Amino acid sequence: MSDILTITSEHVSGILTQDAAPAAYCGDGDTVIFETRDCYDDAVVSEERPLGDKADPIENPATGPLYVEGAEPGDVLKVEILDIRLRDWGVMRSSTKCGVFHEDFTERTARIFSIRGGAAQYIQFDGKLAIPLDPMIGVIGTAPAGEGITTDTPHSHGGNMDCHKIVKGSTLYLPVNTPGGLLSMGDLHALMGDGEVFICGLEIAGLVTVRVSVVKGDAAAMLPTPFLSCRGRVMTIQSAETLDAAGDIAAKAMKNFVKKAAGKDNFEAGMLMSLLSDMAVCQVVDPLKTVRVEFPLDVLETYGYRLP
Ligand code: CA
Ligand code: CA
């Protein structure tokens, strides 16, 4: 066993809520490992039994919650994704009700893929095609303000954002709505494209190592959470009933952030957004749809901005 604080996959829930009892406590700046189940509650273990082996599986079980000492409402929880280690197999399953192509199916079918390779992992999709992996976290969030939110739904607390930029080496900033923040995560995907159109990624259990720290004051207040730094880009990840609405929220949130971070007025910030920001679809298959708007971090650093 690692002597790093580990929250095992015994501690899962299908809802992120302020009412949840913490599974563990840690200090500001501590490193913690989350052991996660796959989105089918680890119940689909065989292609012959696509409905799975559990009578009442939790949909999208999230491991946690983690109470971070010193995190108070109004702060931001900084979550550095230090590592994502995958189980040695992943699973995908068709749906008759959800996803863009659900009308193609009258019954559910599962496919299990072995994870191959060493440092460069891949799956063998069929006899011809090997596909390299890019592991990501589908569900990650703090306890929302107000009522709890089930782990099938993304919102301002994070949750089921299915953003494939939440990878090893990225840093996610989430709002703190309740003392301790109550961080949970699950629904790892070994690989997923923007949109998640089929309804699933390559669903997989695993171990996520994160460092959590508390950001306070103006540095926290200006971040349009959920906010991500990944591979030289910063992005805000926003969800709404339609892609149009989510895109509008995300673009405006990023523009306001660029204004503050670069010290620009609406006109110059608007021009910079049109020239340099990219709008992308995270997913179109969850109860709310998710869009991210990305902006190059080095441009903000040109104006003296530094990420907290
Ligand atoms: Ca998901
Ligand atoms: Ca998933």
Side-chain angles (χ1 to χ4, degrees):
M1 274 298 276
S2 162
D3 48 10
I4 298 173
L5 176 62
T6 300
I7 305 179
T8 70
S9 60
E10 295 293 297
H11 299 275
V12 292
S13 174
I15 187 166
L16 303 188
T17 170
Q18 301 182 9
D19 298 333
Y25 293 77
C26 79
D28 187 354
D30 283 358
T31 298
V32 182
I33 296 173
F34 288 73
E35 180 186 50
T36 65
R37 302 183 193 180
D38 69 34
C39 78
Y40 307 123
D41 206 15
D42 292 346
V44 183
V45 299
S46 154
E47 294 178 356
E48 284 68 47
R49 298 188 304 282
L51 298 184
D53 288 342
K54 286 186 183 174
D56 195 18
I58 303 170
E59 184 184 352
N60 268 357
T63 299
L66 173 69
Y67 186 108
V68 183
E69 304 283 359
E72 296 295 334
D75 297 342
V76 161
L77 199 61
K78 175 182 178 181
V79 185
E80 296 168 85
I81 315 295
L82 303 180
D83 199 13
I84 301 176
R85 283 170 285 167
L86 303 177
R87 188 176 62 192
D88 63 3
W89 59 277
V91 54
M92 300 185 75
R93 186 172 69 176
S94 61
S95 172
T96 58
K97 294 187 186 130
C98 301
V100 178
F101 316 127
H102 69 274
E103 288 160 339
D104 292 346
F105 304 99
T106 53
E107 59 185 29
R108 307 194 90 166
T109 301
R111 176 73 59 83
I112 292 189
F113 294 97
S114 295
I115 306 300
R116 301 171 184 229
Q121 292 183 307
Y122 67 97
I123 56 164
Q124 195 67 41
F125 186 78
D126 55 22
K128 291 188 173 174
L129 182 66
I131 306 178
L133 304 182
D134 191 11
M136 54 157 281
I137 304 171
V139 171
I140 180 166
T142 47
E147 296 276 296
I149 296 180
T150 53
T151 51
D152 63 350
T153 301
H155 206 267
S156 55
H157 67 301
N160 194 18
M161 296 182 285
D162 288 316
C163 172
H164 77 166
K165 303 293 184 180
I166 304 177
V167 295
K168 177 180 176 178
S170 69
T171 299
L172 181 65
Y173 299 84
L174 292 166
V176 176
N177 298 304
T178 193
L182 299 183
L183 177 70
S184 300
M185 67 188 76
D187 188 30
L188 302 185
H189 300 156
L191 184 66
M192 189 201 92
D194 276 335
E196 203 186 12
V197 285
F198 188 63
I199 190 56
C200 54
L202 178 49
E203 305 292 338
I204 198 160
L207 294 166
V208 182
T209 308
V210 298
R211 184 186 300 121
V212 288
S213 17
V214 181
V215 183
K216 292 183 178 286
D218 291 344
M222 70 184 285
L223 294 176
T225 55
F227 183 78
L228 184 72
S229 173
C230 176
R231 298 170 182 165
R233 322 266 295 170
V234 290
M235 47 204 85
T236 185
I237 306 165
Q238 300 296 331
S239 302
E241 291 200 355
T242 65
L243 283 178
D244 284 0
D248 200 61
I249 295 166
K252 286 173 177 168
M254 183 57 82
K255 187 263 293 177
N256 286 332
F257 173 69
V258 168
K259 273 178 72 177
K260 291 178 210 153
K264 294 300 183 187
D265 61 15
N266 278 329
F267 181 59
E268 287 204 329
M271 288 191 292
L272 286 174
M273 286 293 293
S274 224
L275 292 170
L276 297 171
S277 75
D278 288 318
M279 183 181 288
V281 173
C282 293
Q283 59 76 26
V284 297
V285 294
D286 296 335
L288 299 179
K289 316 305 175 204
T290 305
V291 167
R292 67 178 183 274
V293 167
E294 306 184 0
F295 196 86
L297 178 59
D298 63 347
V299 171
L300 300 176
E301 290 175 339
T302 299
Y303 293 102
Y305 179 74
R306 296 293 179 268
L307 277 175

